């Protein structure tokens, strides 16, 4: 197998030939067809997540076909197309797992962060954390659904049933969530980098009823705002934009420090919450719904050995939607 390996924090990924790996009990080996490039991969590369192990193969939006089965694997077959998400394993015994809150597991493993991921020609995965994808749709188009889509879906559910939804940071997740919200009959308001008219046009093209810079005030009070950009300065702005009783959801796994703000922005029962990881039920719910919605992902593809270029382009926003690596 070949992979783009992170050998040190903040170092470039290195094209590496590795011995073929074989699945253990309850594991599968997947031949990777496509792997999305997520902002969380940048957090891994930059050492912004705690206790980062190295070497590690990043990548957690994996689509591919099973080419080897370990012992005790049930419900999956050779040749089947599956998706491998960020949450790669949970302990199953802690209080959170017992309460059906496995996204908060005390002893988890995360694909592309604490276990090797999909910036490779093949990957070993826990069979219990693989989603059957069927044969409809292209691998590249499906890859962003495995994180941008899943975290976007979880954040939208946590945001509640309000009709006026603000999306701060119009990248891979927001461009999927905007389509989901529109299908649900909601109105979305897109907030981009100030002056980024291309991103604003992109948002309007996906159904946003308004798009402007993050420094602008929307034309209506929002029922909820979801922050996808890893920018703590957006939190007070989002709180200011939501109505009394509204909610602000921080959807990233990492965010820069939130600045101090007047209590008046939080008062009147506004709420500030975070999204942590995902559950398998999130995956089952969203991936069953996605074909009915007719989600169209905007993707820019890169060969696997150009993962560093894809990450650099993501960092500065050189493309719309999502980047996807193809072995």
């Amino acid at each position: 197998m070949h992979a783009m390996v992170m050998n040190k924090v903040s170092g470039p990924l290195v094209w590496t030939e590795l011995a073929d790996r074989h699945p253990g009990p309850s594991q599968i080996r997947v031949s990777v067809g496509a792997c999305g490039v997520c902002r969380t991969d940048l957090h891994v590369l930059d050492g912004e997540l705690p206790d980062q192990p190295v070497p590690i193969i990043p990548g957690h939006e994996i689509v591919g076909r099973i080419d080897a089965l370990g012992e005790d694997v049930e419900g999956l077959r050779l040749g089947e197309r599956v998706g491998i998400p960020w949450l790669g394993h949970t302990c199953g015994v802690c209080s959170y797992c017992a309460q059906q809150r496995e996204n908060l597991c005390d002893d988890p493993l995360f694909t592309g962060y604490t276990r090797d991921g999909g910036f490779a020609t093949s990957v070993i995965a826990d069979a219990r954390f693989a989603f059957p994808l069927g044969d409809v749709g292209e691998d590249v188009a499906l890859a962003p659904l495995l994180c941008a889509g899943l975290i976007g879906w979880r954040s939208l559910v946590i945001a509640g049933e309000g009709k006026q939804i603000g999306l701060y940071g119009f990248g891979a997740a927001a461009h999927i969530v905007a389509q989901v919200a529109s299908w649900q009959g909601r109105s979305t308001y897109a907030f981009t980098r100030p002056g980024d008219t291309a991103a604003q046009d992109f948002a309007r093209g996906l159904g946003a009823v308004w798009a402007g810079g993050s420094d602008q005030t929307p034309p209506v009070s929002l029922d909820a705002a979801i922050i996808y950009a890893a920018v703590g300065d957006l939190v007070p702005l989002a709180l200011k934009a939501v109505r009394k009783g509204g909610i602000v959801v921080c959807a990233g796994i990492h965010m820069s420090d939130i600045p101090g703000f007047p209590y008046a922005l939080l008062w009147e029962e506004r709420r500030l919450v975070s999204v942590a990881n995902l559950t398998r039920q999130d995956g089952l719910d969203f991936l069953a719904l996605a074909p009915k919605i007719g989600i169209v992902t905007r993707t820019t593809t890169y060969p696997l050995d150009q993962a560093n270029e894809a990450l650099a382009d993501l960092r500065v926003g050189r493309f719309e939607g999502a980047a996807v690596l193809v072995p």
Side-chain angles (χ1 to χ4, degrees), residues 205-287:
L206 290 173
V209 300
W210 176 90
S214 58
D215 56 346
Q216 294 181 255
T217 301
V220 300
S221 292
L222 304 173
D223 297 314
I226 308 173
I227 301 176
Y228 294 112
V231 181
D233 288 342
L234 294 174
V235 170
L237 297 175
L239 283 169
K240 187 176 181 179
V242 299
R243 61 166 174 79
K244 293 182 286 187
I247 183 170
V248 173
V249 181
C250 299
I253 193 171
H254 173 81
M255 178 180 276
S256 62
D257 289 347
I258 300 171
F261 56 84
Y263 176 65
L265 292 183
L266 188 62
W267 190 58
E268 296 174 317
E269 299 192 354
R270 293 174 180 87
R271 289 166 290 155
L272 176 63
V273 301
S274 69
V275 169
N277 311 312
L278 58 112
T279 68
R280 283 173 284 181
Q281 191 61 50
D282 292 326
L284 295 172
D285 292 344
F286 175 68
L287 293 172

Side-chain angles (χ1 to χ4, degrees), residues 60-131:
H60 57 274
E61 297 180 328
I62 307 167
V63 176
R65 294 191 179 270
I66 299 171
D67 67 6
L69 296 168
E71 296 179 4
D72 303 322
V73 172
E74 298 180 356
L76 296 172
R77 66 183 188 279
L78 288 173
E80 185 172 8
R81 185 167 66 166
V82 295
I84 309 299
W86 167 251
L87 186 63
H89 174 83
T90 57
C91 71
V93 297
C94 71
S95 61
Y96 296 106
C97 287
Q99 297 169 19
Q100 311 303 314
R101 303 176 71 191
E102 64 183 7
N103 60 306
L104 301 178
C105 174
D106 283 333
D107 192 22
L109 291 174
F110 297 108
T111 310
Y113 167 35
T114 56
R115 68 182 298 161
D116 282 334
F119 287 8
T121 53
S122 69
V123 62
I124 300 294
D126 187 325
R128 295 164 293 189
F129 290 80
F131 298 118

Side-chain angles (χ1 to χ4, degrees), residues 37 41 62 117 149-151 206 238 252 311:
V37 181
D41 296 317
I62 307 167
L150 290 178
I151 291 299
L206 290 173
L311 288 162

